[in-house]
Amino acid sequence: MTTTPAIATPVIACDNLHKSYGSVEVLKGVSTAFTQGDVASIIGPSGCGKSTFLRCLNRLEAINQGHLEVMGQDVSATKLPRQALYHLRSQVSMVFQHFNLFPHLTVLENLMLAPRRVLKFPEGDCRELANHYLTKVGLENRADAYPEQLSGGQKQRVAIARSLCMKPVAILFDEPTSALDPELVGEVLGVMRQLATDGMTMIVVTHEMQFAREVSNRVLFFNDGVVEEEGDPAEVFKNPSSDRLKAFLSRLSEH
């Protein structure tokens, strides 16, 4: 007797997602899903809705229309209770362009804050967790430093470690290298490559096409508020079917 293999519940799934700011519609019906271990790169021109999409997934933005599930739980409501938001953001962490570290706290204190306040972990467990992930991103010797004493690349690695301290099922990266000097980009991408190797589910808005080609297992091309093309990176980059994607990749190759 043959059995039908179980279909894994997506970590994140959305259907017909819409988001507007006043009369400006930014997302115009996005439907997609991300499963455990996906490394999905989201590419596209500026203003096409990429960052807004990430912010909706983490419910930093309310959704105007459509359906959103995280680990099988419906989080589509316009207003979610505070505890539901805390739970969602403990499962789906976010790394921003500009780090968002608290300047008055040390690196270790920045990492310990959310596990202590949101997850209610004991102080000792928070410290152990923070030290573990600082070591993972290669900054174990900077635990007592303040953010102003770090380079941009170090700050972003601290931000990644802070996300990992929440033990998330997925991490959203919103152009994590765009605010860095070129020579610092590699150290952040190196940490992200290792996370991908470790099996972390990652959704990455990025202009780093080499990362999208080599590390991602999926690429989504956003244009004018919709996913215009989606697929395996090798196929998407080598044989794009969308004229707009062809033009986008052509412009990148000129720089």
Side-chain angles (χ1 to χ4, degrees):
M1 183 178 70
T2 59
T3 57
T4 303
I7 299 174
T9 300
V11 173
I12 300 172
C14 62
D15 181 48
N16 195 34
L17 211 63
H18 287 253
K19 174 63 184 177
S20 298
Y21 298 100
S23 61
V24 179
E25 192 176 24
V26 180
L27 299 179
K28 303 176 181 179
V30 177
S31 299
T32 191
F34 306 95
T35 57
Q36 185 66 48
D38 266 352
V39 179
S41 285
I42 298 176
I43 64 173
S46 297
C48 66
K50 306 183 300 293
S51 294
T52 298
F53 176 63
L54 281 198
R55 292 175 67 85
C56 285
L57 295 186
N58 205 33
R59 289 306 312 271
L60 291 170
E61 299 287 352
I63 300 160
N64 296 116
Q65 181 185 330
H67 189 74
L68 174 64
E69 288 189 358
V70 174
M71 297 301 289
Q73 297 296 310
D74 186 349
V75 290
S76 311
T78 302
K79 289 188 176 181
L80 288 175
R82 179 172 294 184
Q83 283 304 118
L85 284 173
Y86 282 168
H87 180 63
L88 166 62
R89 291 171 190 162
S90 70
Q91 293 184 305
V92 181
S93 293
M94 191 157 178
V95 175
F96 300 89
Q97 294 180 38
H98 296 289
F99 328 126
N100 290 0
L101 301 175
F102 290 105
H104 64 291
L105 300 179
T106 66
V107 165
L108 192 69
E109 289 166 343
N110 266 281
L111 266 62
M112 292 172 60
L113 187 63
R116 186 172 64 239
R117 291 195 176 178
V118 178
L119 301 180
K120 308 301 182 184
F121 285 179
E123 182 88 8
D125 291 354
C126 293
R127 186 175 299 276
E128 183 178 344
L129 200 62
N131 281 315
H132 171 75
Y133 285 115
L134 276 181
T135 299
K136 191 169 186 66
V137 301
L139 290 172
E140 62 274 15
N141 63 336
R142 304 297 281 159
D144 296 325
Y146 286 88
E148 65 177 13
Q149 298 170 310
L150 305 178
S151 70
Q154 289 174 328
K155 289 176 186 176
Q156 194 60 291
R157 284 190 282 157
V158 169
I160 293 171
R162 178 180 58 185
S163 289
L164 290 168
C165 282
M166 295 298 286
K167 309 290 284 184
V169 295
I171 302 180
L172 313 177
F173 291 85
D174 187 9
E175 298 188 21
T177 61
S178 65
L180 302 180
D181 292 334
E183 65 269 21
L184 301 177
V185 169
E187 65 185 67
V188 173
L189 292 180
V191 170
M192 294 172 66
R193 286 172 184 269
Q194 185 57 54
L195 290 178
T197 300
D198 293 344
M200 173 59 70
T201 306
M202 297 160 54
I203 306 169
V204 186
V205 169
T206 185
H207 293 294
E208 300 290 341
M209 295 300 118
Q210 187 174 354
F211 177 90
R213 283 190 187 96
E214 296 177 359
V215 183
S216 306
N217 68 309
R218 292 171 60 198
V219 171
L220 295 83
F221 173 63
F222 269 58
N223 188 63
D224 196 25
V226 298
V227 179
E228 188 156 305
E229 192 160 341
E230 178 177 0
D232 177 84
E235 188 65 22
V236 167
F237 283 106
K238 187 176 181 180
N239 298 304
S241 58
S242 157
D243 288 340
R244 289 175 178 175
L245 177 54
K246 290 176 185 175
F248 175 75
L249 294 176
S250 175
R251 283 195 300 272
L252 289 179
S253 66
E254 293 170 0
H255 295 285

